Amino acid sequence: MPTRNVVSWNAMIDGFVKSGNLVSARKLFDEMPERNNISVTSLIDGYAKAGDMASARVLFEQSAGKDVFSWSAMITGYVQNGRPGEALKIFLEMLEKNINPDEVIMVGLMSACSQLGSLTLAKWVDSYIAKSSMDVKRAHVLAALIDMNAKCGNMERAVVLFESMPNRDLISYCSMMQGYSIHGLGVKVVELFSWMLNEGIVPDDVAFTVVLTSCSHAGLVKEGNRYFGMMKNEYSIAPSPDHYACMVDLLGRAGRLEEAYELIKSMPMEPHAGAWGALLGACRLNCDMELGEMVAKKLFEMEPQNGGNYVLLSNIYAAADRWADVSKFEWKQQLANELEASSGFSQEQQRIANREELVKEKVENRDFE
DNA sequence: GTAGGGTTAG
């Protein structure tokens, strides 16, 4: 029974993909006597999850009779690898092939749209879904719609969608809170967070990241501290290095540099560059040259290729009227930029970024009707 | 036996 055979091969391929063993997945794929769309989609997804969109693309182009699943794997692959322009492009290609998108594809497209921040596209996608026969009440679809509208600057629409939900879950709350956060409405974020708790929804590490960064940006020190404690004590979530970085940022912005520094030193793990970077930003904000120099020195060692650190230190010197030091570090920053530009990885990143910009521009000028 | 929503800097 050849059909049955394909099914078992596919199950094995998917097993390898899910466990991250792409080499074995590929080996099976090459060796199997007969392949179908499912084999291809599994492997495309594997490459996409591993960040290798080039291989995914080759496989996709080679496959005959592409279906919604293979298109979907490509679209979400680009989205998850931060290449929304490519996701959009391939979506448009799919429409030209007269393949109808389903909910999963639209969720991917909305995520791409959020990343692009294009209100034009957001409006088109929103009405496209409304006109379609898709189930708009599905949690995935709604959360994506809320996220897209909030990130593309249509908060009113995001609010309407959110309030129309009969059962809000953790993700839709996070989308909404993040939306308020982006728009500088930290007080609303805190309010929503407590509503969420009142509804009996249990926050996770991401939810705390959202509320903590929001408190930090809005200067809500007391609340931030409270949530940080709540996360550890009431929900038994061990703070990640990123949570610590949020708290360093929160304290630092509020001018409490000493406490911020103490917090870094008290971390149970080695602080990452993000935490030190938050402290350096705070040193700049509070014109603390002594601590700033120390932190900057550490960061120059940890990530010499990051030009931003040189900028921050030279800003600190500028504020202190130490112009000789300023020019010294501006020169160093230039060096760091050149270093970054000369590495192949960054060139690739730059190439992608330029391409994304181009696609975005085209989208803005396109008539979505 | 295949694809899906939320987080992190200055």
Side-chain angles (χ1 to χ4, degrees), chain A residues 356-367:
Chain A
E356 296 291 343
E357 234 359 88
L358 211 75
V359 176
K360 187 179 169 181
E361 223 173 292
K362 279 192 188 153
V363 170
E364 293 293 347
N365 296 328
R366 188 189 167 108
D367 189 18

PDB file of all heavy atoms in Angstrom, chain A residues 356-367:
ATOM      1  N   GLU A 356      12.758  44.907   2.643  1.00  0.00           N
ATOM      2  CA  GLU A 356      11.515  45.111   3.397  1.00  0.00           C
ATOM      3  C   GLU A 356      11.008  46.541   3.180  1.00  0.00           C
ATOM      4  O   GLU A 356       9.827  46.774   2.981  1.00  0.00           O
ATOM      5  CB  GLU A 356      11.737  44.898   4.893  1.00  0.00           C
ATOM      6  CG  GLU A 356      12.134  43.502   5.293  1.00  0.00           C
ATOM      7  CD  GLU A 356      11.028  42.487   5.106  1.00  0.00           C
ATOM      8  OE1 GLU A 356       9.865  42.892   4.968  1.00  0.00           O
ATOM      9  OE2 GLU A 356      11.347  41.281   5.061  1.00  0.00           O
ATOM     10  N   GLU A 357      11.934  47.477   3.227  1.00  0.00           N
ATOM     11  CA  GLU A 357      11.589  48.886   3.053  1.00  0.00           C
ATOM     12  C   GLU A 357      10.935  49.088   1.694  1.00  0.00           C
ATOM     13  O   GLU A 357       9.926  49.762   1.560  1.00  0.00           O
ATOM     14  CB  GLU A 357      12.872  49.714   3.137  1.00  0.00           C
ATOM     15  CG  GLU A 357      12.909  50.845   4.141  1.00  0.00           C
ATOM     16  CD  GLU A 357      11.665  51.077   4.968  1.00  0.00           C
ATOM     17  OE1 GLU A 357      11.495  50.463   6.044  1.00  0.00           O
ATOM     18  OE2 GLU A 357      10.837  51.900   4.533  1.00  0.00           O
ATOM     19  N   LEU A 358      11.543  48.463   0.699  1.00  0.00           N
ATOM     20  CA  LEU A 358      11.066  48.593  -0.678  1.00  0.00           C
ATOM     21  C   LEU A 358       9.647  48.052  -0.826  1.00  0.00           C
ATOM     22  O   LEU A 358       8.771  48.692  -1.400  1.00  0.00           O
ATOM     23  CB  LEU A 358      12.011  47.815  -1.590  1.00  0.00           C
ATOM     24  CG  LEU A 358      12.171  48.359  -2.997  1.00  0.00           C
ATOM     25  CD1 LEU A 358      13.052  49.602  -2.945  1.00  0.00           C
ATOM     26  CD2 LEU A 358      12.819  47.300  -3.893  1.00  0.00           C
ATOM     27  N   VAL A 359       9.439  46.862  -0.257  1.00  0.00           N
ATOM     28  CA  VAL A 359       8.122  46.235  -0.347  1.00  0.00           C
ATOM     29  C   VAL A 359       7.097  47.093   0.370  1.00  0.00           C
ATOM     30  O   VAL A 359       5.998  47.333  -0.121  1.00  0.00           O
ATOM     31  CB  VAL A 359       8.140  44.815   0.267  1.00  0.00           C
ATOM     32  CG1 VAL A 359       6.738  44.233   0.255  1.00  0.00           C
ATOM     33  CG2 VAL A 359       9.085  43.926  -0.478  1.00  0.00           C
ATOM     34  N   LYS A 360       7.495  47.601   1.540  1.00  0.00           N
ATOM     35  CA  LYS A 360       6.575  48.428   2.324  1.00  0.00           C
ATOM     36  C   LYS A 360       6.134  49.651   1.518  1.00  0.00           C
ATOM     37  O   LYS A 360       4.968  50.005   1.475  1.00  0.00           O
ATOM     38  CB  LYS A 360       7.261  48.865   3.616  1.00  0.00           C
ATOM     39  CG  LYS A 360       6.318  49.584   4.548  1.00  0.00           C
ATOM     40  CD  LYS A 360       6.981  50.004   5.829  1.00  0.00           C
ATOM     41  CE  LYS A 360       6.054  50.938   6.576  1.00  0.00           C
ATOM     42  NZ  LYS A 360       6.635  51.411   7.814  1.00  0.00           N
ATOM     43  N   GLU A 361       7.118  50.258   0.863  1.00  0.00           N
ATOM     44  CA  GLU A 361       6.831  51.430   0.054  1.00  0.00           C
ATOM     45  C   GLU A 361       5.824  51.093  -1.046  1.00  0.00           C
ATOM     46  O   GLU A 361       4.867  51.815  -1.280  1.00  0.00           O
ATOM     47  CB  GLU A 361       8.140  51.901  -0.589  1.00  0.00           C
ATOM     48  CG  GLU A 361       8.343  53.395  -0.561  1.00  0.00           C
ATOM     49  CD  GLU A 361       9.741  53.720  -1.056  1.00  0.00           C
ATOM     50  OE1 GLU A 361      10.722  53.374  -0.357  1.00  0.00           O
ATOM     51  OE2 GLU A 361       9.842  54.264  -2.147  1.00  0.00           O
ATOM     52  N   LYS A 362       6.067  49.950  -1.669  1.00  0.00           N
ATOM     53  CA  LYS A 362       5.173  49.514  -2.738  1.00  0.00           C
ATOM     54  C   LYS A 362       3.764  49.286  -2.217  1.00  0.00           C
ATOM     55  O   LYS A 362       2.782  49.640  -2.864  1.00  0.00           O
ATOM     56  CB  LYS A 362       5.698  48.225  -3.365  1.00  0.00           C
ATOM     57  CG  LYS A 362       6.787  48.466  -4.384  1.00  0.00           C
ATOM     58  CD  LYS A 362       7.044  47.191  -5.172  1.00  0.00           C
ATOM     59  CE  LYS A 362       8.257  47.346  -6.064  1.00  0.00           C
ATOM     60  NZ  LYS A 362       8.906  46.064  -6.331  1.00  0.00           N
ATOM     61  N   VAL A 363       3.687  48.706  -1.020  1.00  0.00           N
ATOM     62  CA  VAL A 363       2.380  48.432  -0.432  1.00  0.00           C
ATOM     63  C   VAL A 363       1.630  49.726  -0.154  1.00  0.00           C
ATOM     64  O   VAL A 363       0.445  49.852  -0.438  1.00  0.00           O
ATOM     65  CB  VAL A 363       2.542  47.641   0.886  1.00  0.00           C
ATOM     66  CG1 VAL A 363       1.221  47.564   1.613  1.00  0.00           C
ATOM     67  CG2 VAL A 363       3.061  46.252   0.599  1.00  0.00           C
ATOM     68  N   GLU A 364       2.360  50.693   0.380  1.00  0.00           N
ATOM     69  CA  GLU A 364       1.729  51.966   0.710  1.00  0.00           C
ATOM     70  C   GLU A 364       1.141  52.634  -0.535  1.00  0.00           C
ATOM     71  O   GLU A 364       0.150  53.331  -0.469  1.00  0.00           O
ATOM     72  CB  GLU A 364       2.743  52.909   1.364  1.00  0.00           C
ATOM     73  CG  GLU A 364       3.219  52.461   2.739  1.00  0.00           C
ATOM     74  CD  GLU A 364       2.135  52.505   3.804  1.00  0.00           C
ATOM     75  OE1 GLU A 364       1.080  53.108   3.555  1.00  0.00           O
ATOM     76  OE2 GLU A 364       2.339  51.910   4.877  1.00  0.00           O
ATOM     77  N   ASN A 365       1.813  52.393  -1.663  1.00  0.00           N
ATOM     78  CA  ASN A 365       1.351  53.042  -2.893  1.00  0.00           C
ATOM     79  C   ASN A 365       0.363  52.196  -3.677  1.00  0.00           C
ATOM     80  O   ASN A 365      -0.103  52.582  -4.734  1.00  0.00           O
ATOM     81  CB  ASN A 365       2.556  53.368  -3.783  1.00  0.00           C
ATOM     82  CG  ASN A 365       3.473  54.361  -3.120  1.00  0.00           C
ATOM     83  OD1 ASN A 365       3.002  55.224  -2.372  1.00  0.00           O
ATOM     84  ND2 ASN A 365       4.761  54.242  -3.355  1.00  0.00           N
ATOM     85  N   ARG A 366       0.061  51.034  -3.143  1.00  0.00           N
ATOM     86  CA  ARG A 366      -0.790  50.129  -3.874  1.00  0.00           C
ATOM     87  C   ARG A 366      -2.247  50.404  -3.527  1.00  0.00           C
ATOM     88  O   ARG A 366      -2.556  50.821  -2.424  1.00  0.00           O
ATOM     89  CB  ARG A 366      -0.425  48.700  -3.487  1.00  0.00           C
ATOM     90  CG  ARG A 366      -1.093  47.643  -4.312  1.00  0.00           C
ATOM     91  CD  ARG A 366      -0.808  46.286  -3.667  1.00  0.00           C
ATOM     92  NE  ARG A 366      -1.674  45.284  -4.244  1.00  0.00           N
ATOM     93  CZ  ARG A 366      -1.250  44.337  -5.066  1.00  0.00           C
ATOM     94  NH1 ARG A 366       0.005  44.260  -5.408  1.00  0.00           N
ATOM     95  NH2 ARG A 366      -2.099  43.443  -5.536  1.00  0.00           N
ATOM     96  N   ASP A 367      -3.072  50.136  -4.467  1.00  0.00           N
ATOM     97  CA  ASP A 367      -4.500  50.365  -4.219  1.00  0.00           C
ATOM     98  C   ASP A 367      -5.146  49.059  -3.779  1.00  0.00           C
ATOM     99  O   ASP A 367      -5.450  48.198  -4.588  1.00  0.00           O
ATOM    100  CB  ASP A 367      -5.155  50.896  -5.501  1.00  0.00           C
ATOM    101  CG  ASP A 367      -6.572  51.350  -5.228  1.00  0.00           C
ATOM    102  OD1 ASP A 367      -6.905  51.571  -4.054  1.00  0.00           O
ATOM    103  OD2 ASP A 367      -7.336  51.474  -6.204  1.00  0.00           O
TER     104      ASP A 367
END
